[in-house]
DNA sequence: GGTGCGATCGCCT
DNA sequence: GGCGATCGCACCG
């Protein structure tokens, strides 16, 4: 495996993140979390900041592919009944377009009891069980039956609680999970954030137990750092299996499955800058 | 590290 | 009755 040094990137180096240094890139990213001390003293840090960074209907009301990319870098927050807030940055998503998208549960406009949430207003949560034992979480977008699957998060806070929730579903004596292993898969993130089946059809824009925030410290245009690759686990759906509808942050250690071919084909903004510099020098 | 396989049950045909 | 937008573990090199 080749290890490519990255320049000018706010993202960690996944390739070089060996086990013993695994927590380091995450720590560096965590230092970018917003600082309530920056809020003017006469305002309540909690309410003023929280209101301004929570994403509302207008964010979710965009075409599916746009929303899938827009999710990257945003922070999913889960508030437990005891008040504990679990937070994770979205680093990997997939777009399911509905209609002609044969890999979508809503392919052909098919509407069932299970997938009703996909047809509800943008921002509606669609939670469904898979393989009898797992759950996956989607969020509906613009477009009939279209939704975005949340595949991976970078844990930002509440990691110990997440580890406990994940361990509860594993064999006793299983190895302690590393931080990057807590939410690196669609069902893993549901376990780690205690996303339950009853969250189906709830509104991510207004719910009191789960919501999405932008990260004011990381309002960067990461379009050039997004890798587009075929979706996972849809191989049986012909041409739709090969369409690049999975999106992830290049080089991030919490991505569930890397696709080196797609990474080569999706040139990063760093590469583009370097190419541009080489051309002008 | 990469790969292969079994678990397990709700949903849909 | 068959299958699946997954995961964990054993095994191999």
């Amino acid at each position: 495996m080749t290890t490519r040094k990255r320049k000018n990137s706010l993202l960690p180096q996944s390739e070089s993140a060996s086990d013993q240094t695994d927590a380091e890139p995450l720590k560096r990213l965590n230092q970018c979390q917003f600082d309530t001390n920056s809020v003017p003293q006469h305002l309540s840090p909690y309410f003023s900041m929280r209101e301004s960074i929570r994403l509302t209907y207008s964010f979710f009301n965009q075409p599916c592919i746009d929303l899938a990319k827009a999710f990257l870098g945003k922070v999913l927050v889960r508030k437990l009944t005891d008040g504990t807030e679990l937070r994770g940055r979205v680093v990997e998503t997939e777009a399911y377009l509905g209609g002609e998208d044969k890999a979508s549960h809503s392919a052909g406009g098919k509407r069932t009891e299970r997938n009703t949430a996909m047809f509800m207003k943008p921002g509606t949560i669609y939670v469904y069980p898979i393989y009898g034992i797992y759950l996956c979480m989607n969020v509906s977008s613009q477009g009939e039956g279209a939704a975005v699957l949340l595949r991976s998060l970078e844990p930002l806070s509440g990691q110990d609680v997440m580890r406990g929730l994940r361990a509860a579903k594993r064999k006793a004596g299983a190895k302690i999970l590393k931080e990057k292993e807590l939410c690196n898969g669609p069902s893993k993130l549901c376990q780690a954030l205690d996303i339950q089946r009853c969250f189906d059809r709830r509104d991510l824009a207004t719910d009191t137990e789960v919501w999405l925030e932008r990260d004011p410290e990381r309002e960067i245009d990461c379009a050039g750092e997004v890798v587009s690759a075929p979706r996972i686990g849809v191989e049986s759906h012909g041409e739709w299996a090969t369409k690049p509808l999975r999106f992830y942050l290049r080089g991030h250690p919490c991505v569930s499955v890397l696709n080196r071919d797609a990474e080569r084909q999706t040139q990063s903004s760093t590469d583009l800058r370097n190419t541009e510099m080489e051309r002008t020098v």
Side-chain angles (χ1 to χ4, degrees):
Chain A
M1 183 176 74
T2 58
T3 300
R4 187 164 53 95
K5 291 286 183 187
R6 296 169 48 72
K7 304 169 192 170
N8 303 326
S9 174
L10 293 172
L11 297 170
Q13 302 171 25
S14 70
E15 296 93 338
S16 61
S18 61
D19 290 348
Q20 59 266 49
T21 59
D22 173 43
E24 285 307 311
L26 299 182
K27 280 180 186 165
R28 285 202 300 277
L29 283 166
N30 289 348
Q31 288 165 1
C32 296
Q33 284 188 76
F34 92 88
D35 176 11
T36 51
N37 294 327
S38 64
V39 178
Q41 291 298 308
H42 65 283
L43 296 174
S44 158
Y46 183 85
F47 289 106
S48 59
M49 289 300 288
R50 195 52 52 84
E51 285 305 307
S52 65
I53 63 179
R54 177 168 183 164
L55 290 157
T56 57
Y57 174 77
S58 60
F59 172 78
F60 301 108
N61 185 29
Q62 55 180 312
C64 191
I65 292 174
D66 294 346
L67 182 62
K69 293 177 183 173
F71 255 106
L72 299 175
K74 302 301 186 291
V75 178
L76 185 66
V77 186
R78 167 79 168 98
K79 187 172 186 176
L80 303 177
T81 50
D82 69 355
T84 304
E85 286 187 7
L86 309 176
R87 315 175 87 81
R89 179 178 289 117
V90 180
V91 300
E92 182 183 1
T93 60
E94 286 180 357
Y96 287 86
L97 309 180
E100 59 176 353
D101 180 359
K102 291 191 165 45
S104 174
H105 286 177
S106 52
K110 182 183 62 180
R111 188 170 178 163
T112 66
E113 178 65 20
R114 180 180 65 158
N115 72 7
T116 294
M118 298 182 86
F119 294 87
M120 292 171 67
K121 72 172 180 177
T124 304
I125 298 169
Y126 169 41
V127 177
Y128 71 91
I130 185 168
Y131 297 105
I133 40 182
Y134 301 113
L135 295 174
C136 290
M137 175 180 174
N138 298 246
V139 180
S140 71
S141 70
Q142 245 181 35
E144 188 76 356
V148 174
L149 170 70
L150 302 184
R151 282 196 60 89
S152 298
L153 306 178
E154 172 202 337
L156 295 178
S157 62
Q159 289 92 331
D160 289 342
V161 176
M162 293 180 189
R163 201 170 270 117
L165 287 161
R166 291 271 280 113
K169 308 276 185 181
R170 292 156 57 85
K171 280 187 190 169
K175 68 180 174 70
I176 303 294
L177 291 170
K178 296 169 196 158
E179 195 158 316
K180 70 176 182 181
E181 295 171 332
L182 292 173
C183 305
N184 63 338
S187 298
K188 294 176 184 177
L189 76 85
C190 285
Q191 288 180 358
L193 269 60
D194 197 26
I195 301 294
Q196 304 161 22
R197 187 80 202 278
C198 63
F199 281 58
D200 187 49
R201 303 185 195 179
R202 282 160 66 165
D203 184 2
L204 193 55
T206 60
D207 202 89
T208 57
E209 292 187 298
V210 61
W211 64 86
L212 192 70
E213 293 178 356
R214 62 187 178 83
D215 185 343
E217 295 297 322
R218 292 174 56 78
E219 289 293 303
I220 55 173
D221 176 13
C222 58
E225 303 296 346
V226 173
V227 176
S228 306
R231 294 170 291 186
I232 302 292
V234 297
E235 293 78 9
S236 62
H237 293 95
E239 60 171 319
W240 283 92
T242 62
K243 293 187 185 293
L245 294 174
R246 180 166 73 102
F247 307 100
Y248 64 83
L249 292 181
R250 181 188 300 273
H252 200 290
C254 298
V255 172
S256 64
V257 181
L258 301 180
N259 185 322
R260 298 297 187 192
D261 288 339
E263 289 180 17
R264 276 189 287 274
Q265 288 164 23
T266 318
Q267 198 174 23
S268 77
S269 60
T270 304
D271 294 340
L272 286 168
R273 276 196 298 275
N274 292 342
T275 304
E276 186 62 28
M277 284 179 66
E278 286 164 11
R279 201 179 311 157
T280 54
V281 170

